[in-house]
């Protein structure tokens, strides 16, 4: 009776497969590096995208997604159709509307001093602002104070974040002046960036009364901001045009700023898909490196293969040994890539002030991808090693 070949225990299979990696550490590191780069790229793309999305969701939760804006549209002749002066009050009468505020653009210009040439206006708009504007838009004062009943009637101005930067104004106070509308205005406040009302960032905001009295403002609002109940946003949005301008509702533009932020996130997702493709290419290159390493290993270890075969090792055991080697090599690269990807994501998120989020599916999927690539990359070398006859392998050694 022909004796049955001895079976190798799982621990023996792992030990035998790992022995080939221990013998060539430098080659193993270089081959695993290709896999690691591909996995790290995939984890970074998904992690950074998830962190950015989480930061956006956090901002929207703080600012609210129930802000609607109303602005003038165009007539059939292509001219701007102004909103009625009563538009904010009419919108405020809509039941689900909680708060309303408005701004009106003036023709005035603002400069750091009266010596700056008129042409150098830094693209800063001077707007009349209602007192409740920060509460409705979510804008916050970074320095100084917002306008009040007293300062709104006097030459006082609050600068948006970018407007202050362009004018070279870094603080607010009674001694900080800017040249606005051919007179000096005191800078009483500077705003933080306003994500839901980015037009405020490049604006110089003055009180409604002083704008009408001294800046030639006609009193017509150019943007009306309305906060609504969360469950009534769509209903309010559908009637805002007719409410703001009953005579010409089709000449009113109604928008939801939070949708613009969501659209930006969607655009980022398109770029993420491209980067994921690049990560997949890196992963494929790493797989080719693993296959190359395993083929060379088979050629270099023919004597070992012939000796093991002559001592009774079966073709299946030789095939398993090389498959395990390729799997271990890929798993090493995959684990290193996941850790590298997590570290890069955490570092980038921290530099941007975002929460660090790495989806579990990205980590698990990365490891699964490396094992699949390891199996594919090691299949041919394993079959080739198993086909070597003992005498052929020993004679070629």
């Amino acid at each position: 009776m022909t004796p049955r070949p001895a079976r190798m225990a799982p621990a023996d299979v792992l030990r035998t497969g790992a022995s080939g990696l221990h013998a060539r550490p430098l080659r193993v590191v270089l081959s695993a590096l290709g896999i690691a780069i591909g996995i790290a790229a995939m984890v970074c793309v998904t992690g950074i995208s998830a962190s950015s999305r989480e930061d956006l969701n956090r901002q929207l939760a703080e600012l609210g997604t129930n802000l609607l804006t109303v602005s003038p549209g165009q007539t059939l002749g292509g001219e701007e159709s102004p909103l009625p002066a009563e538009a904010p009050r009419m919108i405020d009468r809509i039941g689900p509307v909680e708060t309303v505020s408005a701004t009106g653009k003036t023709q005035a210009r603002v400069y750091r001093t009266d010596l700056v040439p008129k042409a150098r206006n830094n693209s800063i708009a001077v707007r009349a602002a209602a007192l409740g504007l920060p509460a409705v838009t979510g804008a916050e004062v970074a320095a100084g104070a917002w306008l009040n009943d007293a300062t709104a009637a006097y030459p006082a101005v609050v600068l948006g974040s970018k407007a202050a930067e362009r004018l070279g104004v870094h603080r607010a106070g009674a001694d900080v002046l800017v040249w606005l509308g051919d007179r000096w205005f005191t800078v009483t406040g500077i705003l933080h960036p306003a994500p839901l009302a980015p037009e405020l960032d490049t604006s110089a905001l003055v009180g409604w009364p002083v704008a009408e009295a001294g800046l030639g403002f006609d009193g017509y609002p150019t943007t009306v901001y309305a906060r609504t109940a969360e469950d009534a946003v769509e209903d309010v949005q559908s009637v805002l045009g007719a409410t703001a301008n009953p005579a010409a509702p089709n000449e009113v533009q109604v928008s939801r700023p939070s949708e613009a932020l969501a659209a930006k996130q969607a655009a980022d997702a398109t770029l993420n898909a491209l980067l994921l493709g690049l990560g997949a290419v890196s992963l494929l290159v790493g797989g080719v490196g693993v296959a190359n390493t395993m083929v060379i290993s088979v050629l270099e270890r023919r004597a070992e293969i012939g000796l093991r075969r002559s001592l009774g090792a079966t073709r299946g055991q030789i095939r398993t040994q090389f498959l395990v080697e390729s799997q271990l090599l890929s798993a090493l690269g995959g684990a290193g890539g996941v850790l590298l990807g997590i570290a890069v994501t955490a570092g980038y998120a921290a530099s941007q002030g975002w929460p660090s989020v790495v989806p579990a599916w990205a980590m698990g999927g990365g490891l699964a991808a490396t094992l699949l690539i390891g199996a594919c990359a090691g299949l041919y070398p394993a079959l080739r090693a198993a086909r070597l006859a003992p005498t052929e392998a020993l004679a070629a050694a």
Side-chain angles (χ1 to χ4, degrees), residues 20-102:
L21 302 183
H22 293 156
R24 300 162 182 82
L26 181 58
R27 185 182 297 168
V28 167
V29 170
L30 294 177
S31 299
L33 185 60
I35 291 285
I37 291 174
I39 292 298
M42 296 178 69
V43 172
C44 284
V45 168
T46 54
I48 291 175
S49 174
S51 299
S52 174
R53 188 176 299 110
E54 182 66 23
D55 181 67
L56 173 63
N57 293 336
R58 184 182 64 180
Q59 288 185 42
L60 292 179
E62 294 175 353
L63 298 172
T65 58
N66 59 339
L67 177 66
L68 296 170
T69 63
V70 180
S71 56
Q74 291 184 336
T75 64
L76 293 177
E79 299 177 353
E80 186 177 276
S81 176
L83 295 174
E86 301 80 12
R89 292 193 296 274
M90 293 189 293
I91 292 173
D92 197 29
R93 295 193 184 102
I94 302 175
V97 171
E98 298 172 347
T99 55
V100 176
S101 191

Side-chain angles (χ1 to χ4, degrees), residues 22-337:
H22 293 156
R24 300 162 182 82
L26 181 58
R27 185 182 297 168
V28 167
V29 170
L30 294 177
S31 299
L33 185 60
I35 291 285
I37 291 174
I39 292 298
M42 296 178 69
V43 172
C44 284
V45 168
T46 54
I48 291 175
S49 174
S51 299
S52 174
R53 188 176 299 110
E54 182 66 23
D55 181 67
L56 173 63
N57 293 336
R58 184 182 64 180
Q59 288 185 42
L60 292 179
E62 294 175 353
L63 298 172
T65 58
N66 59 339
L67 177 66
L68 296 170
T69 63
V70 180
S71 56
Q74 291 184 336
T75 64
L76 293 177
E79 299 177 353
E80 186 177 276
S81 176
L83 295 174
E86 301 80 12
R89 292 193 296 274
M90 293 189 293
I91 292 173
D92 197 29
R93 295 193 184 102
I94 302 175
V97 171
E98 298 172 347
T99 55
V100 176
S101 191
T103 61
K105 195 171 182 180
T106 74
Q107 297 302 316
R109 292 290 181 264
V110 59
Y111 305 91
R112 186 65 182 89
T113 71
D114 56 344
L115 301 178
V116 177
K118 297 294 184 182
R120 298 181 58 183
N121 56 33
N122 291 310
S123 300
I124 300 172
V126 177
R127 303 177 191 269
L131 297 183
L133 185 65
V136 179
T137 61
E140 297 180 350
V141 177
W146 177 247
L147 301 169
N148 54 42
D149 290 324
T151 56
Y154 290 92
V157 61
V158 174
L159 300 176
S161 59
K162 291 183 179 178
E165 180 181 346
R166 293 174 184 177
L167 290 172
V169 177
H170 305 292
R171 64 183 183 88
D175 59 334
V176 182
L177 305 175
V178 293
W179 187 250
L180 192 156
D182 295 328
R183 61 188 297 191
W184 292 105
F185 272 64
T186 301
V187 178
T188 61
I190 299 174
L191 297 179
H192 280 298
L196 293 185
E199 63 276 5
L200 300 182
D201 295 343
T202 54
S203 298
L205 303 164
V206 300
W208 210 276
V210 74
E212 291 182 314
L215 300 179
F217 178 50
D218 57 12
Y220 290 100
T222 52
T223 305
V224 180
Y225 304 91
R227 287 274 182 182
T228 73
E230 290 282 356
D231 57 351
V233 174
E234 302 296 336
D235 295 334
V236 173
Q237 189 172 11
S238 66
V239 301
L240 270 180
T243 304
N245 191 355
N250 59 316
E251 297 176 359
V252 177
Q253 291 185 349
V254 180
S255 62
R256 189 176 177 183
S258 58
E259 291 179 343
L261 293 179
K264 178 180 180 298
Q265 190 69 28
D268 291 341
T270 303
L271 180 60
N272 291 338
L274 173 62
L275 295 178
L276 277 174
L278 295 177
V281 171
S282 300
L283 198 58
L284 178 62
V285 172
V288 172
V290 172
N292 182 61
T293 297
M294 296 310 301
V295 169
I296 294 176
S297 180
V298 170
L299 296 176
E300 290 181 344
R301 296 162 63 189
R302 284 176 295 183
E304 174 192 335
I305 295 170
L307 180 60
R308 290 197 61 213
R309 293 278 283 124
S310 64
L311 293 176
T314 64
R315 292 179 182 270
Q317 290 171 345
I318 297 296
R319 184 169 54 248
T320 300
Q321 173 187 347
F322 281 87
L323 278 176
V324 168
E325 281 191 30
S326 64
Q327 290 286 72
L328 290 175
L329 181 58
S330 298
L332 179 64

